[in-house]
Coordinates of all heavy atoms in Angstrom, one line a residue:
L289 N 35.4 -226.0 -6.5 CA 34.5 -225.9 -7.7 C 33.3 -225.2 -7.2 O 32.6 -225.8 -6.3 CB 34.2 -227.4 -8.2 CG 33.7 -227.5 -9.6 CD1 34.6 -227.0 -10.7 CD2 33.4 -229.0 -9.9
S290 N 33.1 -224.0 -7.8 CA 31.9 -223.3 -7.4 C 30.5 -224.0 -7.6 O 30.5 -224.9 -8.5 CB 31.8 -222.0 -8.2 OG 31.5 -222.2 -9.5
K291 N 29.5 -223.5 -7.0 CA 28.2 -224.2 -7.2 C 27.8 -224.2 -8.6 O 27.2 -225.1 -9.2 CB 27.1 -223.5 -6.3 CG 26.6 -224.4 -5.3 CD 25.4 -223.7 -4.7 CE 24.8 -224.8 -3.7 NZ 24.3 -224.3 -2.5
E292 N 28.0 -223.0 -9.2 CA 27.6 -222.9 -10.7 C 28.4 -223.8 -11.6 O 27.9 -224.4 -12.4 CB 27.9 -221.3 -10.9 CG 27.2 -220.8 -12.2 CD 27.7 -219.4 -12.6 OE1 28.3 -218.8 -11.7 OE2 27.6 -219.1 -13.7
N293 N 29.7 -223.9 -11.3 CA 30.5 -224.6 -12.2 C 30.2 -226.2 -11.9 O 30.2 -227.1 -12.8 CB 32.0 -224.4 -11.9 CG 32.5 -223.1 -12.6 OD1 31.8 -222.7 -13.7 ND2 33.5 -222.5 -12.1
T294 N 29.8 -226.5 -10.6 CA 29.5 -227.8 -10.4 C 28.2 -228.3 -11.2 O 28.1 -229.3 -11.6 CB 29.2 -228.1 -8.9 OG1 30.3 -227.7 -8.2 CG2 28.8 -229.4 -8.5
M295 N 27.3 -227.4 -11.3 CA 26.0 -227.6 -12.1 C 26.4 -227.8 -13.5 O 25.9 -228.6 -14.2 CB 25.1 -226.3 -12.0 CG 24.6 -226.0 -10.5 SD 23.5 -227.3 -10.0 CE 22.1 -226.7 -10.7
A296 N 27.3 -227.1 -14.0 CA 27.8 -227.1 -15.4 C 28.3 -228.5 -15.7 O 28.1 -229.2 -16.6 CB 28.8 -226.0 -15.8
W297 N 29.3 -229.0 -14.8 CA 29.9 -230.4 -14.9 C 28.8 -231.4 -14.8 O 28.8 -232.4 -15.6 CB 30.8 -230.5 -13.8 CG 32.3 -230.0 -14.1 CD1 32.8 -228.9 -13.7 CD2 33.3 -230.7 -14.8 NE1 34.1 -228.8 -14.1 CE2 34.5 -229.9 -14.8 CE3 33.4 -232.0 -15.5 CZ2 35.6 -230.2 -15.5 CZ3 34.6 -232.2 -16.0 CH2 35.6 -231.4 -16.1
R298 N 27.9 -231.2 -13.9 CA 26.8 -232.2 -13.7 C 26.0 -232.4 -14.9 O 25.7 -233.4 -15.5 CB 25.9 -231.8 -12.4 CG 24.9 -232.9 -12.0 CD 24.2 -232.4 -10.8 NE 23.6 -233.6 -10.2 CZ 22.5 -233.9 -10.4 NH1 21.8 -233.5 -11.4 NH2 22.0 -235.0 -9.8
A299 N 25.6 -231.1 -15.4 CA 24.8 -231.2 -16.7 C 25.5 -231.8 -17.9 O 24.8 -232.6 -18.7 CB 24.4 -229.6 -17.1
A300 N 26.8 -231.5 -17.9 CA 27.6 -232.2 -19.0 C 27.6 -233.7 -19.0 O 27.7 -234.3 -20.0 CB 28.9 -231.6 -19.1
M301 N 27.7 -234.2 -17.8 CA 28.0 -235.6 -17.5 C 26.6 -236.4 -17.4 O 26.7 -237.7 -17.5 CB 28.9 -235.9 -16.4 CG 30.4 -235.4 -16.7 SD 31.4 -235.6 -15.1 CE 33.1 -235.6 -15.9
K302 N 25.6 -235.8 -17.0 CA 24.4 -236.4 -16.6 C 23.8 -237.4 -17.7 O 23.2 -238.4 -17.4 CB 23.3 -235.4 -16.2 CG 22.0 -235.9 -15.8 CD 21.8 -236.1 -14.3 CE 20.7 -237.0 -13.9 NZ 19.5 -236.0 -13.8
P303 N 24.0 -237.0 -19.1 CA 23.4 -237.8 -20.0 C 23.9 -239.4 -20.0 O 23.3 -240.3 -20.5 CB 23.8 -237.3 -21.4 CG 24.1 -235.8 -21.1 CD 24.6 -235.8 -19.6
V304 N 24.9 -239.6 -19.2 CA 25.6 -240.9 -19.0 C 24.6 -241.8 -18.2 O 24.3 -243.0 -18.5 CB 26.9 -240.9 -18.3 CG1 27.4 -242.2 -17.8 CG2 27.9 -240.1 -19.1
W305 N 23.8 -241.2 -17.3 CA 22.8 -242.0 -16.6 C 21.8 -242.7 -17.5 O 21.6 -243.9 -17.4 CB 21.9 -240.9 -15.7 CG 22.6 -240.4 -14.5 CD1 24.0 -240.0 -14.4 CD2 22.0 -239.9 -13.4 NE1 24.2 -239.5 -13.3 CE2 23.2 -239.3 -12.6 CE3 20.8 -239.8 -12.9 CZ2 22.8 -238.7 -11.3 CZ3 20.5 -239.3 -11.5 CH2 21.5 -238.7 -10.8
K306 N 21.4 -241.9 -18.4 CA 20.3 -242.5 -19.5 C 21.0 -243.6 -20.3 O 20.4 -244.6 -20.6 CB 19.9 -241.3 -20.3 CG 18.5 -240.8 -20.2 CD 17.2 -241.3 -20.9 CE 16.1 -242.0 -20.4 NZ 15.5 -241.9 -19.3
Q307 N 22.1 -243.3 -20.6 CA 23.0 -244.1 -21.5 C 23.0 -245.5 -20.8 O 23.1 -246.6 -21.6 CB 24.4 -243.6 -21.7 CG 25.1 -243.8 -22.9 CD 26.5 -243.1 -23.0 OE1 26.5 -242.1 -22.6 NE2 27.5 -243.9 -23.4
F308 N 23.2 -245.6 -19.6 CA 23.4 -246.9 -18.8 C 22.2 -247.4 -18.1 O 22.2 -248.4 -17.5 CB 24.6 -246.8 -17.9 CG 25.9 -246.8 -18.7 CD1 26.5 -245.6 -19.2 CD2 26.6 -248.0 -18.9 CE1 27.7 -245.7 -19.9 CE2 27.7 -248.0 -19.7 CZ 28.3 -246.9 -20.2
E309 N 21.1 -246.6 -18.2 CA 19.9 -247.1 -17.6 C 19.4 -248.5 -17.9 O 19.0 -249.1 -16.9 CB 18.9 -245.9 -17.9 CG 17.6 -246.1 -17.1 CD 16.5 -245.1 -17.4 OE1 16.6 -243.8 -17.0 OE2 15.6 -245.4 -18.3
G310 N 19.6 -248.7 -19.2 CA 19.1 -250.1 -19.6 C 19.8 -251.3 -18.9 O 19.3 -252.2 -18.5
E311 N 21.2 -251.1 -18.8 CA 22.1 -252.0 -18.1 C 21.8 -252.1 -16.6 O 22.0 -253.2 -16.0 CB 23.5 -251.8 -18.5 CG 24.0 -252.2 -19.9 CD 25.5 -252.0 -20.2 OE1 26.2 -251.7 -19.2 OE2 25.8 -252.2 -21.3
I312 N 21.8 -250.9 -16.1 CA 21.8 -250.9 -14.6 C 20.3 -251.1 -14.0 O 20.1 -251.8 -13.0 CB 22.3 -249.4 -14.1 CG1 23.8 -249.3 -14.5 CG2 22.1 -249.3 -12.6 CD1 24.3 -247.9 -14.3
G313 N 19.4 -250.5 -14.8 CA 17.9 -250.6 -14.3 C 17.6 -249.2 -13.7 O 18.2 -248.6 -12.9
A314 N 16.5 -248.7 -14.3 CA 16.0 -247.4 -13.9 C 15.7 -247.4 -12.2 O 15.9 -246.4 -11.6 CB 14.7 -247.1 -14.8
D315 N 15.0 -248.5 -11.9 CA 14.6 -248.5 -10.4 C 15.9 -248.4 -9.5 O 15.8 -247.8 -8.3 CB 13.9 -249.8 -10.1 CG 12.5 -249.9 -10.7 OD1 12.1 -248.8 -11.3 OD2 11.9 -250.9 -10.7
L316 N 16.9 -249.1 -9.9 CA 18.1 -249.0 -9.0 C 18.8 -247.8 -9.0 O 19.1 -247.2 -7.9 CB 19.2 -250.1 -9.5 CG 20.3 -250.5 -8.7 CD1 19.6 -251.1 -7.4 CD2 21.2 -251.5 -9.4
I317 N 18.7 -247.0 -10.1 CA 19.2 -245.6 -10.1 C 18.3 -244.7 -9.3 O 18.9 -243.9 -8.6 CB 19.4 -245.0 -11.5 CG1 20.2 -245.8 -12.4 CG2 19.7 -243.6 -11.6 CD1 20.3 -245.5 -13.9
K318 N 17.0 -244.9 -9.3 CA 16.0 -244.1 -8.5 C 16.3 -244.4 -7.1 O 16.3 -243.5 -6.2 CB 14.7 -244.6 -8.9 CG 14.0 -243.5 -9.9 CD 12.5 -243.5 -9.7 CE 11.9 -242.9 -11.0 NZ 11.6 -243.9 -11.9
A319 N 16.5 -245.7 -6.8 CA 16.8 -246.0 -5.3 C 18.1 -245.3 -4.8 O 18.2 -244.8 -3.6 CB 16.9 -247.6 -5.2
A320 N 19.1 -245.3 -5.7 CA 20.4 -244.7 -5.3 C 20.2 -243.2 -5.1 O 20.6 -242.6 -4.1 CB 21.4 -244.9 -6.4
E321 N 19.3 -242.7 -5.9 CA 19.1 -241.1 -5.9 C 18.4 -240.8 -4.5 O 18.6 -239.8 -4.0 CB 18.3 -240.7 -7.1 CG 18.9 -239.7 -8.0 CD 18.0 -239.2 -9.0 OE1 17.1 -240.0 -9.6 OE2 18.0 -238.0 -9.2
K322 N 17.6 -241.7 -4.2 CA 16.8 -241.5 -3.0 C 17.5 -241.4 -1.7 O 17.1 -241.0 -0.7 CB 15.7 -242.6 -3.0 CG 14.3 -242.1 -3.2 CD 13.2 -242.9 -2.9 CE 13.2 -244.1 -2.2 NZ 12.3 -245.2 -2.6
A323 N 18.8 -241.9 -1.8 CA 19.7 -242.0 -0.8 C 20.2 -240.7 -0.4 O 20.7 -240.4 0.8 CB 20.8 -243.0 -0.9

Side-chain angles (χ1 to χ4, degrees):
L289 199 59
S290 70
K291 243 193 174 141
E292 200 189 338
N293 285 334
T294 303
M295 298 292 279
W297 273 98
R298 189 177 201 273
M301 290 178 161
K302 180 92 190 279
V304 173
W305 293 26
K306 254 267 117 22
Q307 208 177 320
F308 285 85
E309 193 182 273
E311 285 185 7
I312 298 168
D315 287 353
L316 199 56
I317 299 176
K318 264 209 198 90
E321 241 189 317
K322 258 196 1 221

